[in-house]
């Protein structure tokens, strides 16, 4: 898949999901806690607030997919901040799975196989850099 196609697919999926940010957040966390129950006890704060921050940050990420010089340092800072929340490298995979599941549920058949592929490529690209930076060795 061409980079431009991948980014276009990620953007249009996100435009749908972000239009109902509250619902996206609720569905995402319920998927995450089902996919990987080890993540649940790490969320000690207000989940509504956390959900808003997640949606805002995903919007920032999606808006900067063509601006790696801005995106990557921000993502790496975020990964470092996550160490103190008790997040492990393995849990990045669970977040990816929960995110894809969320799009499937919210968008239904309009979330095409190619859209899913575009998200997997994008999330894996970003999260592998975050994991490499925060959990060296
Ligand atoms: C690209 C991936 C991720 C993004 C964009 C993201 C985004 C965020 C943001 C914006 C915050 C709030 C930070 C703050 O208030 O300073 C946060 C906090 C947090 N994130 Fe993530 N995160 C990601 C991956 C993960 C993963 C893999 C986990 C594993 C379970 C995780 C668990 C948490 C926890 C436990 C908190 C703190 C919640 C609390 O204080 O109750 N995040 N995340």
């Amino acid at each position: 898949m061409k980079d431009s196609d991948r980014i276009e697919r990620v953007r249009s999926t996100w435009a749908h999901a972000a239009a109902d940010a509250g619902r996206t957040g609720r569905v995402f966390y319920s998927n995450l806690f089902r996919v990987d129950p080890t993540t649940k006890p790490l969320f000690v704060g207000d989940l509504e607030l956390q959900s808003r921050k997640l949606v805002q940050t995903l919007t920032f990420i999606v808006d900067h997919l063509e601006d790696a010089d801005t995106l990557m340092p921000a993502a790496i800072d975020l990964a470092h901040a996550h160490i103190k929340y008790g997040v492990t490298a393995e849990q990045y995979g669970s977040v990816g799975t929960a995110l894809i599941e969320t799009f499937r549920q919210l968008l239904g058949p309009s979330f095409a196989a190619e859209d899913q592929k575009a998200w997997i490529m994008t999330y894996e690209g970003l999260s592998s850099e975050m994991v490499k930076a925060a959990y060296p060795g």
Side-chain angles (χ1 to χ4, degrees), residues 5-15 62 65 118-119 122:
D5 187 27
R6 176 179 62 82
I7 291 171
E8 179 50 38
R9 285 177 181 279
V10 165
R11 289 214 169 120
S12 71
T13 306
W14 188 246
V62 168
L65 290 175
W119 267 96
T122 301

Side-chain angles (χ1 to χ4, degrees), residues 3-123:
D3 251 18
S4 55
D5 187 27
R6 176 179 62 82
I7 291 171
E8 179 50 38
R9 285 177 181 279
V10 165
R11 289 214 169 120
S12 71
T13 306
W14 188 246
H16 284 283
D20 193 348
R23 180 155 180 244
T24 297
R26 281 190 297 278
V27 172
F28 169 77
Y29 285 108
S30 119
N31 284 329
L32 179 63
F33 300 155
R34 190 188 64 253
V35 165
D36 183 349
T38 69
T39 59
K40 191 163 197 301
L42 304 181
F43 290 89
V44 293
D46 173 17
L47 208 54
E48 275 295 316
L49 178 66
Q50 174 59 31
S51 180
R52 279 200 294 278
K53 285 185 187 171
L54 176 75
V55 169
Q56 273 167 16
T57 306
L58 283 170
T59 300
F60 174 85
I61 291 171
V62 168
D63 286 348
H64 290 84
L65 290 175
E66 286 163 307
D67 179 9
D69 290 349
T70 304
L71 177 58
M72 289 325 293
I76 286 168
D77 280 354
L78 190 63
H80 283 296
H82 277 69
I83 299 171
K84 65 175 183 295
Y85 302 138
V87 169
T88 64
E90 292 71 30
Q91 288 169 336
Y92 278 82
S94 309
V95 162
T97 304
L99 200 55
I100 299 289
E101 188 56 28
T102 301
F103 295 142
R104 244 196 246 146
Q105 290 165 1
L106 293 180
L107 279 71
S110 73
F111 185 53
E114 290 295 290
D115 298 330
Q116 176 166 327
K117 206 154 118 192
W119 267 96
I120 290 173
M121 288 167 70
T122 301
Y123 182 80

